[in-house]
């Protein structure tokens, strides 16, 4: 996670992915790095609800769920803290291809209204997914990978 600002935690449902992410958050907080995780399921909303929409008549922009969260967590902070956007749900080309420019070295989210927002250094992206069946090679190549194998976990750890 020191070399990538986007990480995918991959493994089957009930396999311990959420426990790994929660442990990361608690460990960083105990190391005096307050950590906030903003969780969302990108498949629970439409692409327009996720990114936002530009009214073709009035040219008014309405932020979507992700663009709203993106604005909020990219605000400068005086404290040494980490903020994560956690995408908890399947990765598919319908919504994730728009994230490729955020996941690469540019760290830019480009919205339909032409606005560009840069991912700040205190913010990172996490994906919690069961598999990468519908993720493109372009998306996968931009991410760090953590595979959580439930065979290595005992019920006491969860």
């Amino acid at each position: 996670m020191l070399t990538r600002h986007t990480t995918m935690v991959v493994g089957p449902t009930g396999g311990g992915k959420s426990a790994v992410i929660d442990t990361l958050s608690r460990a960083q907080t105990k190391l005096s790095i307050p950590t906030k995780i903003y969780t969302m399921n990108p498949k629970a909303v439409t692409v327009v609800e996720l990114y936002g929409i530009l009214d073709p008549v009035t040219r008014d922009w309405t932020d979507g769920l992700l663009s709203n969260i993106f604005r909020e967590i990219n605000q400068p902070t005086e404290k040494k803290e980490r903020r994560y956007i956690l995408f908890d749900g399947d990765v598919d080309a319908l919504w994730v291809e728009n994230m490729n420019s955020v996941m690469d070295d540019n760290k830019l989210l480009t919205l339909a209204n032409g606005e560009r927002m840069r991912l700040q250094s205190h913010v990172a992206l996490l994906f919690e997914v069961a598999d990468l069946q519908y993720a493109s090679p372009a998306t996968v190549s931009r991410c760090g990978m953590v595979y959580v194998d439930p065979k290595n976990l005992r019920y006491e750890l969860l």
Side-chain angles (χ1 to χ4, degrees):
M1 295 189 72
L2 295 175
T3 60
R4 300 276 184 172
H5 59 276
T6 304
T7 303
M8 290 192 176
V9 182
V10 184
T13 301
K17 299 182 302 285
S18 295
V20 167
I21 293 168
D22 183 55
T23 301
L24 168 69
S25 175
R26 286 187 286 128
Q28 287 181 335
T29 300
K30 284 191 178 203
L31 291 170
S32 300
I33 305 171
T35 302
K36 295 179 185 173
I37 298 179
Y38 297 76
T39 305
M40 60 182 297
N41 182 345
K43 298 283 287 182
V45 295
T46 65
V47 173
V48 167
E49 292 170 327
L50 186 62
Y51 291 105
I53 188 166
L54 181 65
D55 187 301
V57 176
T58 65
R59 307 290 294 163
D60 287 336
W61 174 254
T62 304
D63 268 335
L65 179 61
L66 177 60
S67 54
N68 197 0
I69 291 172
F70 213 87
R71 278 184 213 289
E72 181 182 330
I73 70 171
N74 271 303
Q75 296 298 318
T77 177
E78 297 286 323
K79 301 178 279 186
K80 181 183 176 186
E81 71 177 347
R82 290 291 286 166
R83 298 175 185 168
Y84 295 97
I85 300 175
L86 172 60
F87 298 94
D88 188 357
D90 293 336
V91 171
D92 71 33
L94 287 177
W95 68 269
V96 82
E97 291 303 318
N98 293 331
M99 295 295 294
N100 280 347
S101 63
V102 181
M103 292 187 270
D104 67 19
D105 291 337
N106 295 324
K107 297 183 180 183
L108 284 176
L109 176 63
T110 303
L111 301 174
N113 65 350
E115 182 181 2
R116 293 177 175 202
M117 294 188 284
R118 185 172 304 279
L119 192 69
Q120 299 300 315
S121 60
H122 63 276
V123 181
L125 305 177
L126 292 172
F127 292 80
E128 184 177 336
V129 298
D131 58 53
L132 300 172
Q133 181 177 358
Y134 300 109
S136 71
T139 299
V140 173
S141 68
R142 289 171 164 87
C143 302
M145 294 289 161
V146 176
Y147 181 72
V148 179
D149 189 348
K151 291 186 284 187
N152 297 330
L153 296 175
R154 297 182 309 275
Y155 72 93
E156 297 90 16
L157 297 176
L158 299 176

